Amino acid sequence: MPLSCSLQCFNKCCDKKYDITCSIYNCPKCGSLLDVVHNINELKKINNKFTWELSHSLRKGKPENHLHNSGVWRFHEFVMPSISHENVITTYEGNNPLLQYKNLKQILGLDSVHVKLSGNNYTGSFKDLGMTVLVSVVNDAIKKGKKIKAIGCASTGDTSASLSMYSAIAGIPSVIFLPKNKVSTAQLIQPIATGSKVFALDTDFDGCMKLVQKLAENGHIYLANSKNALRIEGQKTIAFELYENLNYKLPDWIVLPSGNLGNAYALFKGFKLLKELKFINKLPRLLLAQSSNANPLYRAFINKTNIKPTKAKNTLATAIQIGDPVSAPRAMLALRETNGVVEQATDQELSDISAKIDNKGLYTCPHTAVAFASLKKAIDKGIIKNDEIVVVISTANALKFTDFKLNYHMKNI
């Protein structure tokens, strides 16, 4: 049996499988999210034939297959094995560096911390890792006769930049819905410049998300937000890269800024697959970091309840200003399975620590600053120990947030 994957119910209420090109985002039976499920037995057979080092690490930069220049597509067996390679839309995303910083001890109290620069992609954020998979699947489906008018998303900035760029390369129309006056100029200009239809709505991200879901349900657009399980498949390759970056060892902790919560599940899913294939025997713990002004996951964790949608307040960490995260059930599973924790940071805390860390040579976006502020709190509480290996996921290039930096140093924040 060839390698394959399909869409299935996240809650496993039924055994029904859907083709990955189906324009379906919820289980028709129970209404839950969907998940991309791989044929694990076939993956085991293939990966028993050779070591990880020979099968994946050494693919980087190999000229015989240009897809291997992508940090996502060199893992195509684990990501999306069934689409035609000629229909893949890639900007050679991924293969992002993991840097070890030993000069942050006086700020954090750790001897060293690793930072995964997942924002070092074509459009300046980690979103490219998932968008290459989604747009490639749509492109493959269109080339094979499926009728898709346009791809659309709600966004706080980075998702729209990524969708618009990959759609432009593929020649597929894209439609963007943004909350008015809540996106940086550097983020706003990207979808405009690449020809997307951009609508700035007098609402927040959650309001934009409700609209785009309605349009997707009615068949007007194909949904590109991380509610779509295809995005998760590309983003989970961060776990594969970390496994390589640390010389085939695991970090004790991964610290991740968290808004719509798809990335939390993606990291868990990547490491879970490595465990199922016997490359590792445990999972790293997750520390999910939220803004105190948009903290439904933090509240649920502290109160030991399910996530309840809230009205997100304004925060400098605009990309995670989300009160009703669509991937909440996925993130809750990831927290349980990794014995994870959740922390939060105020705007003042994220601003101060961002300036301190910048001063040590690591230029941070406000969302990564939320991760660092939350990490410091976890260290101060004794949750994270000095001898543990910690990786902070930096999710975006800070050059997108120049106004945030300028306002802080001009003492406007």
Side-chain angles (χ1 to χ4, degrees), residues 372-388:
F372 274 111
S374 297
L375 170 59
K376 187 176 189 320
K377 288 183 177 180
I379 294 167
D380 292 345
K381 291 176 181 178
I383 297 170
I384 294 179
K385 307 297 190 295
N386 185 58
D387 60 347
E388 292 184 303

Side-chain angles (χ1 to χ4, degrees), residues 8-13 25-34:
Q8 297 181 37
C9 175
F10 179 77
N11 284 344
K12 299 180 173 59
C13 76
Y25 316 104
N26 295 90
C27 172
K29 184 174 181 180
C30 73
S32 80
L33 297 169
L34 297 175

Side-chain angles (χ1 to χ4, degrees), residues 329-358:
R330 295 167 173 159
M332 293 299 282
L333 173 65
L335 278 174
R336 290 194 300 270
E337 293 293 319
T338 64
N339 190 25
V341 298
V342 187
E343 261 297 351
Q344 65 175 359
T346 66
D347 275 7
Q348 191 64 58
E349 288 168 336
L350 76 87
S351 299
D352 290 340
I353 204 164
S354 179
K356 291 175 182 177
I357 289 175
D358 286 355

Side-chain angles (χ1 to χ4, degrees), residues 237-370:
T237 59
I238 297 174
F240 305 157
E241 287 190 15
L242 285 175
Y243 176 60
E244 294 178 341
N245 295 152
L246 294 170
N247 198 24
Y248 310 104
K249 296 177 183 177
L250 289 178
D252 297 293
W253 287 91
I254 295 175
V255 187
L256 182 68
S258 301
N260 222 12
L261 304 181
N263 220 17
Y265 180 63
L267 266 291
F268 158 71
K269 191 175 184 185
F271 282 112
K272 179 172 177 284
L273 182 56
L274 291 180
K275 190 170 183 287
E276 289 174 329
L277 294 174
K278 309 298 184 184
F279 287 112
I280 61 176
N281 56 19
K282 66 175 184 176
L283 301 175
R285 298 181 70 181
L286 292 178
L287 168 56
L288 303 183
Q290 292 210 294
S291 163
S292 60
N293 284 349
N295 61 354
L297 180 64
Y298 176 80
R299 293 185 186 186
F301 179 78
I302 294 299
N303 297 322
K304 296 181 172 57
T305 62
N306 290 327
I307 295 180
K308 298 175 182 178
T310 62
K311 176 70 174 177
K313 300 176 184 177
N314 288 338
T315 172
L316 296 169
T318 53
I320 55 175
Q321 187 178 316
I322 298 169
D324 188 9
V326 295
S327 286
R330 295 167 173 159
M332 293 299 282
L333 173 65
L335 278 174
R336 290 194 300 270
E337 293 293 319
T338 64
N339 190 25
V341 298
V342 187
E343 261 297 351
Q344 65 175 359
T346 66
D347 275 7
Q348 191 64 58
E349 288 168 336
L350 76 87
S351 299
D352 290 340
I353 204 164
S354 179
K356 291 175 182 177
I357 289 175
D358 286 355
N359 192 250
K360 297 296 183 181
L362 175 60
Y363 198 54
T364 56
C365 71
H367 322 97
T368 304
V370 171

Side-chain angles (χ1 to χ4, degrees), residues 51-112:
T51 66
W52 180 283
E53 293 94 319
L54 290 176
S55 62
H56 299 100
S57 299
L58 297 183
R59 288 178 176 178
K60 285 192 283 188
K62 291 293 183 181
E64 58 266 24
N65 187 337
H66 78 98
L67 294 187
H68 292 168
N69 290 310
S70 164
V72 172
W73 292 102
R74 66 186 173 95
F75 301 111
H76 64 88
E77 302 100 325
F78 297 162
V79 174
M80 200 56 56
S82 56
I83 70 171
S84 301
H85 284 190
E86 61 268 22
N87 293 333
V88 169
I89 306 299
T90 178
T91 59
Y92 298 159
E93 53 289 307
N95 293 326
N96 303 129
L98 179 73
L99 302 183
Q100 185 176 11
Y101 286 86
K102 296 184 178 181
N103 60 346
L104 300 181
K105 184 174 182 178
Q106 65 189 80
I107 301 172
L108 299 173
L110 285 181
D111 285 339
S112 69

